[in-house]
Amino acid sequence: MFDALAIRDFRLLWVANLVASFAMQMQMVARGWLIYDITSSPMALAWVILSFMLPSFVFSLWGGVIADRMRKKPIMIGAQLLNTAATVLLAVIIYRGDVTFWHFIYFGLFNGTILSFSMPARSAVIPEIVPKHVVVNAMALQSSTYSLSRVAGPSLAGLLIAWFAGGDNTSATGVGLVFYVIAAMYLVSVAATAMLHYTGDPRAGTNAGMIEDIAEGFRYMGRERIILGLMVMGIVPFMFGFAPTFLAPAFNKEVIDGGPDTLGYLMTAFGVGSLIGALTLARLGDIGGKGKVLFAATYIWAGGVAAFALSPGLVAAMIFGIFIGVFSSLVGSLNMSVVTLAIKPEIRGRVMAIMMMTHGIMPLGMFPVAAAAEFIGIDVALFLSAVLLAVSMAAIGWWFPELKKIDKGHGAEA
């Protein structure tokens, strides 16, 4: 289960990503609580998520070219330092009580832009520091950093908000202090990344311009139908399958009538399931029949979202939240593992960037769900997202029947 952690650089990268993921999860809870407290609007939550992810659509392609042309380690460190500085500034604004909804939009755009330039480099690192036969294990363990952070991060954030605010959940003081803690965690991530021996030297390449490099990435995606299909599978279903996570603040307030602590418990349930899913894949390793597993797990995931939508209270919601976490994590980790195995190394950064770019439009799928939550009800909206998740996966299976035939996924022919 933990083979890849025997490799020093992967171990350091794993720690860096774990701490950064922890910080991001705490930030999601703190931000979501404060935004919903300010606006009482599910649509406001959707707009902030869009502001964070939209830059991926605009800038990720350039980040991919940079990842293939420059050393990756300085890119990762520089981006995280800028992210830390922005988090400190937002912490000051929140703690002083001057924060507005628009601050979250501005900082979302900034942080999303920084992420767009750094994530292609970070995503391309793993196959370069671990042997090929360990890649699936490493990708699953990498996914487990996100899952582990979802287990404890949200609960910790909710408890800290309540504790720092002295029980006054309407106060921005607690959220501001949590953002200072988050900034410190980002600095720890920077330190771990700086200790890597790996530098990510660019491969011998091309004298072509950046536009031609980007065009080559798109041509490659067009030629490799399986990779194109996996990219679509990694985007469209997730538009709808992550609705319970994105709209958790609204569900927490409208259905559970909870505070920041119960929001933390709810998010933790998603994290527990996500961790189970990631570690299960890490234990299974390079399994066969990956295509069939991807489709089956997604349909089960849709069933979990439907059951979550009908949950009468916190306990039931947490149980189905764990269920959602298991299968969403399994689908996401396995999809990314197959893509990573299939891409040619010299173009990996650009293909990862194209996938990130398309992920930037993922929140657009949230708007009909968020609108339904605002005007019809959060339970109806989440049930609608479950139906859309299942229907979209069926459509992908019809358009890309070769995806179901994926076995090991080594090479684009899968």
Side-chain angles (χ1 to χ4, degrees), residues 397-414:
W398 181 74
W399 281 319
F400 297 94
E402 55 267 61
L403 293 179
K404 295 179 182 178
K405 300 175 184 176
I406 295 173
D407 185 29
K408 290 287 189 178
H410 295 162
E413 73 284 352

Side-chain angles (χ1 to χ4, degrees), residues 148-366:
L148 277 168
S149 67
R150 290 178 70 187
V151 171
S155 293
L156 180 60
L159 291 171
L160 286 176
I161 292 170
W163 182 44
F164 287 149
D168 180 8
N169 292 334
T170 62
S171 170
T173 302
V175 177
L177 289 173
V178 168
F179 266 81
Y180 282 119
V181 173
I182 291 166
M185 296 175 75
Y186 281 136
L187 278 179
V188 173
S189 177
V190 170
T193 305
M195 293 170 65
L196 291 173
H197 289 156
Y198 167 88
T199 59
D201 293 337
R203 294 178 178 269
T206 171
N207 294 320
M210 293 186 77
I211 298 296
E212 176 56 29
D213 274 358
I214 291 172
E216 183 186 358
F218 278 105
R219 286 195 295 269
Y220 180 81
M221 292 285 289
R223 290 194 306 268
E224 305 296 345
R225 212 178 131 75
I226 282 187
I227 295 177
L228 180 62
L230 287 167
M231 182 188 74
V232 175
M233 186 186 288
I235 297 163
V236 178
F238 284 80
M239 283 184 173
F240 311 115
F242 277 162
T245 304
F246 289 152
L247 295 177
F251 185 88
N252 175 67
K253 197 76 172 279
E254 302 302 324
V255 176
I256 300 173
D257 192 27
D261 49 349
T262 55
L263 176 59
Y265 298 147
L266 191 59
M267 298 295 284
T268 294
F270 293 126
V272 169
S274 182
L275 178 61
I276 293 170
L279 292 181
T280 298
L281 183 60
R283 181 66 184 87
L284 292 173
D286 199 10
I287 58 172
K290 291 184 176 71
K292 292 179 181 177
V293 172
L294 280 168
F295 277 86
T298 306
Y299 288 129
I300 297 172
W301 176 13
V305 174
F308 180 88
L310 302 176
S311 300
L314 178 61
V315 174
M318 289 181 66
I319 291 170
F320 292 119
I322 291 172
F323 191 84
I324 290 170
V326 170
F327 290 96
S328 63
S329 174
L330 188 62
V331 171
S333 299
L334 189 55
N335 180 285
M336 186 56 70
S337 297
V338 176
V339 170
T340 303
L341 286 166
I343 301 171
K344 293 193 301 184
E346 61 270 19
I347 203 168
R348 186 174 286 126
R350 278 164 283 174
V351 174
M352 291 294 188
I354 292 171
M355 295 185 75
M356 269 200 69
M357 180 192 77
T358 51
H359 276 96
I361 63 173
M362 206 163 58
L364 293 177
M366 283 297 303

